[in-house]
């Protein structure tokens, strides 16, 4: 598909050269960890642990508090030190679970994974909801709710533009987790009933474009859309207008 653009926008120095070739690294947290129970839009999660409990990495420490809510899991092993109000990233004070990290990172035993082809739409939604997956925007909207559209959906856009200067997280994920991205898009297509998936990548990521084009070459209902680099291309409404040529309600 040819390179296209949209009216307006700016072209700042993207600064991608500083980190685009640096592989993703896993960092182990240290010290006490604070888990706000309101870290997503909707109802706060409800604690399922008490002060003094020992928890494992991957253990649920708070369950969803409503339809628009998400469970929270420990990212370390350790002891629940407190459940009390703490500041969250937006500056408010919300009830939070404090875990004293024991530095051992012992994990729970995870259930066996069911093949995607053996899962129904409801199975996929339940798995996503149980896992506590939320959007990475400021609202942290629960993904299982987002995948229950009120109207029929014919196309899923996978936003790999990352138009903001300096950021290269999407770029590295595209390069290092291409098969996982394809798997996730397959799951979303099956869940929403959409007939087509389009992976949108800006032209300043030629290595990611080449890799993803190879990955989808033999997949009938997926394709890569190459977009000219311009800010704010990654904004949802701009992206939909750009790729689909549709008007989006304000």
């Amino acid at each position: 598909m040819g390179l296209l653009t949209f009216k307006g926008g700016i072209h700042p120095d993207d600064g991608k050269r500083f980190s685009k070739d640096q592989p993703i690294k896993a960092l182990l947290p240290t010290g006490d960890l604070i888990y706000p129970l309101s870290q997503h839009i909707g109802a706060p999660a409800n604690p399922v642990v008490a002060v003094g409990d020992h928890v494992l990495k991957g253990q649920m420490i708070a369950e969803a508090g409503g339809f628009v809510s998400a469970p929270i899991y420990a990212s370390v092993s350790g002891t629940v030190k407190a459940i009390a109000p703490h500041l969250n990233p937006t500056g408010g004070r919300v009830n939070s679970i404090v875990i004293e990290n024991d530095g051992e990172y012992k994990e729970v035993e995870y259930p066996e994974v069911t093949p995607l082809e053996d899962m129904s739409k409801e199975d996929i939604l339940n798995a996503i909801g149980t896992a506590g997956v939320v959007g990475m925007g400021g609202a942290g909207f629960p993904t299982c709710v987002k995948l229950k559209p009120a109207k029929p959906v014919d196309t899923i856009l996978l936003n790999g533009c990352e138009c903001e200067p300096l950021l290269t997280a999407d770029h590295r994920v595209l390069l290092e987790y291409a098969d996982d991205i394809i798997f996730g898009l397959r799951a979303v297509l099956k869940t929403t009933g959409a007939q087509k998936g389009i992976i949108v990548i800006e032209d300043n990521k030629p290595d990611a474009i080449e890799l993803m084009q190879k990955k989808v070459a033999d997949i009938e209902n997926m394709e890569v859309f190459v977009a000219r680099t311009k800010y704010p291309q990654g904004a949802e409404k701009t992206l939909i207008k750009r790729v689909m040529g549709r008007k989006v309600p304000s």
Side-chain angles (χ1 to χ4, degrees), residues 9 46 84 108 113 142 148 171 173 181 191 209 218:
N46 298 318
V108 298
V113 177
K148 299 175 183 176
H171 191 169
V173 168
I181 290 171
T191 302
I209 292 169
D218 297 324

Side-chain angles (χ1 to χ4, degrees), residues 2 8 11 13 20 32 43 58 71 82 91 93 105 109 121 131 134 139 142 146 151 171 182 188 198 200 211 219 245:
H11 301 82
D13 176 16
K20 70 180 181 66
D32 292 351
R93 293 186 68 83
Y105 305 99
E109 290 188 14
K121 170 182 175 180
V134 300
K146 191 177 291 187
K151 298 180 180 179
H171 191 169
I182 298 297
V188 172
I198 301 178
V200 189
L211 176 61
I219 303 177

Side-chain angles (χ1 to χ4, degrees), residues 69-71 73 127-135 140-145:
S69 187
Y73 293 82
I128 293 171
T130 300
V133 181
V134 300
F141 202 94
T143 301
C144 64
V145 179

Side-chain angles (χ1 to χ4, degrees), residues 50 57 77 85 120 122 135 161 215 223 247:
K57 179 181 178 183
S77 57
S120 66
E122 290 71 26
C161 286
K215 293 290 184 181
E223 67 178 75
K247 293 183 178 180

